[in-house]
Structures are given as C-alpha cells and as structure tokens.
C-alpha cells in the first residue's frame, strides 16, 4: 500500500455503541428523570445516540492508517493531530474481533499489542480481512527473517460444547459474583430514581407476607442464573484452542467473535482452578497468567491477569491436552508434598477474635442476631480450618514448580517455570521465629503487576526447602 486509508464506515456504528456504553450513567439519569414519561425518555436516548454518532463520525474521518513495508503508520485527530508508527518487529500479537452482523462482510476489529514497557495497544476498529492477513504476514516475516507466509486455519485441539458451558456455569460459583453485581447496580440505580420509590414498592411486597418474599427471591435467583448462563454462552460459544507456531490461538464468542493470539513467551504460569463441586465431578478450569500487555479498557477478553485456556475439562484430559499445546513444558501430573502448618489454630486466631466480638455485640442488640452471628462464625472458622490443610508444593520436572492453595473457596494449583519467578521471600516475626514458624511467598509477573502465592505458618525448614526449589535453573 502506498496511500493512507480510512477505516470501514461501519466503524461509526460500532464506535457509537461503544460510546453509548461509556455514557451509560446518562441513561440512568434519563431513566430516573423521565421514568413516568416514555416519550421524553425515548427522545433523550435518541439524542444521546446522535451525539455519540457524531463523535464516532469525527473519529472515523480523522483516523487514517498506512501499511508500509516495514511499519504500520496511524494518524488521528484534527486540532491535536497524532501520528503513531509501529514497526512490525515490535508487534507482539494481533487480536481479531468480529461482530456477528459484520461477519458476512468480512469486517473485523484488530487490537495490535506492541512490545516494551511503555507499549500499549493500537486499535483498528473496522477493517477488511485482508488488512489482518497483511499485518500478520509482515509481522511473521520480520520476526522469522523469512518471506511472509500465508496465514491458514488449522483444526482446533480443544473445543467446548453447549453442555460443557452448562457445567461451567453451574459449577463455577459465578452466580455469587452476579448477585453482588446486581445488588450494586440496584443501589446505584436507586440514587437516580425518585425518593422513596423502591422503598414504597418494597413495602407493598412485605404486605403479602413471607410466601411472596420467598417467591420473589426465587424468581430473582432464577433470573440471575439465567443471565449468568446466557453470558457464558455468548462469551464461550464455539470456544476453540490450537497451537500455531510459537503462539496459542483462542477463538470464542457469539455476537463478538474474538480471535486471540497468545505468544508462548508471555505465559508466566498455568493455573488450575477447582470449586468444591468441580472437584467432586472431576472437572477443572485452566487459566494462563500472562506478562506484559495492556487491556484496551473496552474488551474484557484481553486481560493482564488471567486468561482462560481451557474453561472446563475433565481431569484425566488436562495434562495430555496441555502436552499437545505446550510440549516445551513437558507437563505431567505433579508430585505434591503436603506442607502442614505448625498449628491450624494460628489461622483462626484473629478471625476468631473478630467474630467473637461480633457475637457479643449481636447478643447485646438481639438474641436472634447473636444466633445468626454464631452460625456465620462457625462457617467462617470451618472454612479457614479446611483451607489451612490445602498447602502443598512440589515439582513436575527440573524446570517446573507447582503450588496448591485455597483462594476464595477455590482449590488453586499454580504451575510455573523457575525462571518466571520474580522473587521469593520468607517472612517471620519475633514470636514466630522463636517457635520456628514462618511464611513463604513467591511472586510472578501478571500483566503490569505481580501475582503472589503465599504459604503460611509453616515450619522454617519447609520455608527454606521451598526457597531452595525456586533456585533450580530453567530455560523455558
């Protein structure tokens, strides 16, 4: 190409909806102001969309790009004009997203991730498929020092079915996150509604008695579960994974079809996550912990911290499949050593004191509140007692270490090469040291920050053993 090009005009529609989402608080204000006047409410929404459309049109008109022989050049803006040059050898990955209504036209959005501590993402919001192919060919040619090769599709090595998405949804525990998000949303919406509206409606429900309340809660929970299921179906529809050169390719999504490229050198660790229900059913989720990269702020699929590689898979299939996808790691089931804490009661000391204070306060206020607090205390202390027994470590081979802990009621197993460990530390205090007890922790890079693994209240011999393990040399 020798001339600058504009993005496809469909970019205006796509960007308009993105801006509408950014200005969602305006929709809440409109809803609170005109909730009893649908004509004005609809007019306000139309005006908002027109404004977003004008802003998107401005961005489209002043955004141009050029695919040169050695770099991608982007210019944008009018009053504050900006030119960005991205050499092909600095491109780490190119993520492709295809909305369902743009698929027949072979139009996609490209998120171009660049290398370097200051590098971020550049986005081509709506371009033809040939642009993606050209950029991939230039990038590969610069990286391997050879002529560009045609980007071809290969058969996926892992696919998820609709039945598996059902299992993922109902064994994930994500319903609790949705419940918290729903309650937060209700609290935010309440501030935009007329004073006392929700309280007045709630009093009406209370007048119908306990049966009506239970029915309402049941409907609310069913609705949350349905929303969670639909969310996962849309996100993981036809989820596919395969190996392509030095990259793992992940494709997923229904309305927004994403093709994500994960370079192997960015993988800092594998993380297996099991809820109690999944452990009983012998199911596992496998996540990648990635280094570098920056989220665009508009796509939750490109995440610095965790990235689903295998959303749900039977235990017996995990390591054979990972060995196919990542043969360099030589993955086999780990040999774990139980690291029993010096005394599990150490985990219960401070939570126990805090809960005890709550029980006393509850008893002073109301006997039923005290009984409820006792039940909650028993649940919390029981969880801590159980979690304290899940501290394990070991090695898979001379290059890979593994650690198992409990995080938020999930049994989490981390597998990382020793050369990906940023630092290790042994922490102890005067009283702990005098009793021969300490805490061991290690850090690995996760996005722009660090992920820490902690093993607590171990005897110091175990702490020094874990520190020695992390010093094994690795070339992965």
């Amino acid at each position: 190409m020798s001339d600058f090009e504009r993005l496809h005009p469909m970019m205006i529609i796509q960007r308009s909806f993105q801006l509408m989402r950014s200005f969602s608080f305006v929709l809440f204000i409109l809803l609170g102001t005109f909730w009893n006047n649908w004509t004005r409410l609809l007019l306000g929404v139309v005006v908002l969309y027109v404004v977003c459309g004008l802003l998107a049109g401005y961005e489209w008109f002043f955004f141009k790009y050029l695919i040169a022989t050695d770099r991608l050049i982007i210019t944008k803006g009018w009053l504050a004009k900006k030119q960005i040059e991205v050499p092909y050898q600095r491109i780490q990955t190119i993520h492709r997203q295809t909305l369902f209504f743009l698929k027949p036209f072979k139009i996609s959005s490209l998120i171009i991730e660049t290398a370097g501590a200051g590098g971020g993402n550049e986005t081509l919001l709506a371009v033809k498929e040939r642009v993606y192919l050209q950029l991939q060919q230039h990038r590969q040619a610069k990286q391997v020092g050879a002529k560009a090769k045609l980007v071809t599709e290969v058969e996926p090595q892992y696919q998820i079915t609709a039945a598996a998405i059902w299992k993922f949804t109902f064994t994930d525990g994500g319903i609790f996150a949705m419940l918290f998000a729903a309650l937060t949303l209700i609290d935010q919406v309440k501030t935009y509604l007329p004073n006392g509206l929700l309280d007045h409606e709630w009093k009406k429900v209370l007048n119908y008695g306990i049966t009506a309340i239970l029915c309402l809660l049941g409907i609310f929970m069913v609705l949350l579960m349905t929303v969670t299921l639909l969310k996962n179906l849309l996100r993981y529809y036809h989820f596919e994974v395969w190996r392509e050169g030095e990259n793992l390719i992940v494709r997923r999504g229904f309305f927004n079809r994403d093709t994500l490229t994960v370079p192997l050198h960015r993988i800092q660790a594998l993380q297996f996550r099991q809820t109690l229900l999944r452990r009983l059913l012998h199911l596992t989720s496998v996540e990648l912990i990635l280094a570098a990269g920056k989220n665009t702020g508009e796509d939750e699929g490109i995440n610095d911290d965790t990235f689903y590689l295998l959303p749900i898979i039977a235990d017996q299939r995990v390591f054979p499949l990972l060995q196919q996808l990542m043969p360099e790691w030589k993955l086999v089931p780990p040999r774990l050593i139980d690291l029993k804490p010096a005394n599990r009661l150490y985990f219960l000391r401070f939570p126990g004191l805090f809960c005890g204070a709550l029980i006393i306060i509850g008893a002073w206020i109301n006997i039923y509140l005290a009984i409820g607090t006792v039940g909650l205390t028993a649940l919390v202390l029981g969880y801590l007692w159980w979690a304290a027994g899940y501290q394990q470590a070991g090695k898979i081979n001379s290059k890979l270490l593994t650690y198992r802990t409990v995080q938020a009621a999930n049994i989490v197993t981390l597998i990382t090469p020793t050369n990906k460990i940023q630092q290790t530390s042994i922490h102890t205090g005067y009283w702990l040291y005098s009793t021969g007890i300490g805490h061991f922790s290690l850090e690995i890079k996760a996005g722009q920050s660090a992920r820490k693994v902690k093993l607590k209240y171990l005897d110091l011999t175990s702490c020094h053993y874990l520190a020695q393990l992390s010093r094994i040399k690795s070339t992965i």
Side-chain angles (χ1 to χ4, degrees), residues 89-127:
Q89 64 266 27
R90 301 295 294 171
I91 296 177
Q92 291 284 316
T93 60
I94 301 175
H95 301 299
R96 180 170 57 170
Q97 301 175 330
T98 306
L99 293 174
F100 74 100
F101 62 87
L102 296 179
K103 191 172 183 180
F105 306 102
K106 295 185 177 180
I107 296 173
S108 303
S109 295
L110 306 182
I111 300 173
I112 301 164
E113 188 176 303
T114 58
N121 292 337
E122 298 300 331
T123 302
L124 302 178
L125 197 55
V127 294

Side-chain angles (χ1 to χ4, degrees), residues 279-306:
R279 192 164 183 82
L280 291 173
L281 297 175
H282 302 288
L283 298 171
T284 302
S285 293
V286 181
E287 301 169 333
L288 298 180
I289 297 179
L290 306 178
K294 290 186 178 180
N295 202 323
T296 63
E298 297 169 358
D299 175 44
E300 60 187 356
I302 304 169
N303 195 302
D304 286 341
D305 294 333
T306 57

Side-chain angles (χ1 to χ4, degrees), residues 158-165 168 236-240 310-312:
Y158 170 83
Q159 290 178 299
I160 194 169
T161 63
I165 295 176
F168 176 85
Y236 299 115
Y237 175 80
H238 279 189
F239 188 102
E240 300 171 337
L310 309 173
I312 192 162

Side-chain angles (χ1 to χ4, degrees), residues 144-413:
V144 302
K147 292 183 178 180
K149 297 180 181 179
L150 181 64
V151 180
T152 58
E153 298 290 338
V154 298
E155 286 295 320
Q157 294 168 272
Y158 170 83
Q159 290 178 299
I160 194 169
T161 63
I165 295 176
W166 277 76
K167 292 179 183 178
F168 176 85
T169 300
F170 293 106
T171 60
D172 183 48
I175 184 66
F176 299 107
M178 286 293 294
L179 177 61
F180 179 76
L183 294 175
T184 303
L185 179 62
I186 291 172
D187 184 66
Q188 290 179 349
V189 171
K190 185 179 178 180
T191 60
Y192 297 106
L193 295 178
N195 291 333
L197 177 63
L198 286 182
D199 294 335
H200 177 68
E201 297 299 327
W202 178 244
K203 288 178 181 178
K204 286 184 179 179
V205 174
L206 291 177
N207 291 333
Y208 290 101
I210 189 66
T211 304
I213 296 174
L214 292 176
C215 289
L216 186 63
L217 289 176
I219 293 172
F220 182 66
M221 293 302 296
V222 170
L223 182 62
L224 277 182
M225 293 179 69
T226 304
V227 170
T228 305
L229 177 60
L230 288 175
K231 178 183 175 182
N232 288 333
L233 283 170
L234 295 176
R235 178 180 294 178
Y236 299 115
Y237 175 80
H238 279 189
F239 188 102
E240 300 171 337
V241 180
W242 67 89
R243 173 75 177 260
E244 187 178 278
E246 296 301 311
N247 303 308
L248 293 177
I249 310 298
V250 178
R251 179 178 292 166
R252 71 179 195 184
F254 184 76
F255 290 119
N256 194 11
R257 192 74 175 148
D258 297 340
T259 301
L260 308 176
T261 304
V262 183
L264 290 179
H265 66 84
R266 277 188 56 192
I267 300 175
Q268 303 298 294
L270 292 171
Q271 185 167 266
F272 299 1
R273 187 177 293 275
Q274 284 184 310
T275 61
L276 290 176
L277 187 54
R278 283 185 185 171
R279 192 164 183 82
L280 291 173
L281 297 175
H282 302 288
L283 298 171
T284 302
S285 293
V286 181
E287 301 169 333
L288 298 180
I289 297 179
L290 306 178
K294 290 186 178 180
N295 202 323
T296 63
E298 297 169 358
D299 175 44
E300 60 187 356
I302 304 169
N303 195 302
D304 286 341
D305 294 333
T306 57
F307 182 95
Y308 269 122
L309 178 65
L310 309 173
I312 192 162
I313 187 172
D315 287 349
Q316 66 269 22
R317 288 189 56 207
V318 173
F319 285 97
L321 180 56
L322 288 176
Q323 181 58 24
Q324 294 176 25
L325 293 171
M326 305 167 61
E328 299 88 347
W329 284 42
K330 299 179 182 179
L331 288 157
V332 294
R335 301 184 301 272
L336 291 169
I337 301 172
D338 282 330
L339 300 169
K340 298 296 184 184
N343 193 329
R344 289 195 191 188
L345 292 177
Y346 292 142
F347 288 85
L348 310 184
R349 292 180 303 162
F350 300 114
L353 289 173
F354 180 74
C355 290
L358 288 181
I359 292 173
I360 295 172
I361 295 172
W364 180 64
I365 297 174
N366 186 295
I367 186 62
Y368 296 107
L369 182 60
I371 293 172
T373 308
V374 169
L376 181 62
T377 298
L379 185 65
V380 170
L381 297 184
Y383 164 75
L384 292 174
W385 182 272
W386 166 75
Y390 264 100
Q391 296 195 116
Q392 298 172 315
K395 61 181 182 178
I396 293 179
N397 51 49
S398 60
K399 301 175 181 178
L400 294 177
L401 301 181
T402 181
Y403 304 89
R404 179 173 290 170
T405 57
V406 171
Q407 300 173 12
N410 289 278
I411 300 170
V412 177
T413 303

